[in-house]
Every structure is written in C-alpha cells, then in structure tokens.
Amino acid sequence: MSTAVVVAGLLAGCSAGEEKAAPKLPERVCWGGALTGGDVASFLPAGDKVEFQPRSGLPFALTEDRKSQTCTLDIDGRTRFQVTANLWKFEDSIDWRSVDSAKPKPLDVGKKGIIWNHGAASYIVCEPAKDADTPGKYIDLGIYVGDPSDEGKLQAALPKLMKELVAFAQRELKCPAGAAS
C-alpha cells in the first residue's frame, strides 16, 4: 500500500459556475482498511485535491514504541477528517474533556462511547490493569471531522464508523472478544 493516497479527478472542470465534486475515496480507508471509504466520503466537503497524509497508510499497531496512530485526510490542504488511536496503560488516563464544550452524548460502542456534532470517541480494554502498579492496555479511539458538508449525514454515519473502528482495533490488536465492554 502506498504511503499516501491521492484521489484524482475530483473536479470535472475548472470553469466558473461548475461545482466541485464530492471526494471519491478507496473502498476501505485508514491503516489498510479500518473504515468504509464511501461512508467517510458521504459527509466530506468537496475539493480539488484529496490526500491522506503518509502515516495514514502505515500498518495499524500500538506498542510501547508506537503509542499512537493517526489517519488524516486533507482536502485542498486542510485537515477535514482524522482518526486517532492511542494506547494507555491505565483506564483513568483516557480523557475526553477537550470535547466537553460540544456537549457529547453517550454512544453504545466499545467500553464507553460518546458522540458530538463533529466527532465520536470510544475505548476498548485489551488487557485490564491488575492494580495501580501493574498496567494494562486500553485503546482510545476517536473520529474527528472538520467542516462536514452535511451534519445530518455525519451524525448518521458516526455510530457505524465507530463500530467499524472498534471492531478493526480489536481484530488488529488481537484484543479478547469481550474487550469492548
């Protein structure tokens, strides 16, 4: 898989009055296939140049040496879609206070999920901490969208995308079947 995916042909022409086309994404996107490209494209703004940043094509792995992964999609040079995955040793390290002002609502995905106007987050437990001195493996997952073309489509797509992302992380990181709850 190439380190960067550039989707060409977004614009039928450059003449005045012609509208830009919505992005056409590969069938599966982020880390070799975490999410359905069509679902992601459904709420993204139109643009001339759509590009995944190079780290988006890396294999999905979270280790002591690589505690976070990011898949970032830029449209016309601006980040419009981002997926994050972070490895934490303790459950209380997971902190979503940065979205408190967006008044997130509960989302029944993973151990604890939330959804707000421009994103969603959840986490899974791959290995619970045994005590305060013996760390575990907690995977914090987030989807963030800047300037969606249609907030209704975004809100409809986010729960499905989070479910896909949680299932992908469990499978790729070989988390136990009950890791999401």
Side-chain angles (χ1 to χ4, degrees), residues 30-104:
C30 293
W31 308 305
L35 301 171
T36 305
D39 288 344
V40 172
S42 71
F43 52 76
L44 292 176
D48 293 324
K49 184 179 178 187
V50 176
E51 182 177 23
F52 282 95
Q53 291 184 8
R55 294 182 54 89
S56 302
L58 293 175
F60 186 75
L62 295 172
T63 64
E64 280 300 310
D65 295 331
R66 190 182 343 167
K67 293 183 180 177
S68 68
Q69 291 235 212
T70 303
C71 172
T72 303
L73 175 66
D74 294 337
I75 299 176
D76 295 338
R78 293 181 58 202
T79 297
R80 300 300 187 159
F81 179 77
Q82 189 169 63
V83 181
T84 62
N86 298 288
L87 171 64
W88 298 100
K89 292 180 180 183
F90 296 97
E91 195 168 12
D92 61 3
S93 299
I94 298 168
D95 182 6
W96 298 325
R97 286 181 292 183
S98 64
V99 298
D100 281 353
S101 64
K103 297 181 174 74

Side-chain angles (χ1 to χ4, degrees), residues 15 29 32 44 51 59 174 178:
S15 60
V29 298
L44 292 176
E51 182 177 23
K174 297 171 180 49

Side-chain angles (χ1 to χ4, degrees), residues 83-137:
V83 181
T84 62
N86 298 288
L87 171 64
W88 298 100
K89 292 180 180 183
F90 296 97
E91 195 168 12
D92 61 3
S93 299
I94 298 168
D95 182 6
W96 298 325
R97 286 181 292 183
S98 64
V99 298
D100 281 353
S101 64
K103 297 181 174 74
K105 294 179 177 72
L107 180 64
D108 189 20
V109 176
K111 170 105 178 174
K112 176 185 176 187
I114 59 172
I115 186 170
W116 63 95
N117 61 337
H118 286 191
S122 183
Y123 73 92
I124 58 175
V125 181
C126 278
E127 184 181 314
K130 295 181 184 27
D131 56 50
D133 297 322
T134 309
K137 289 183 180 179

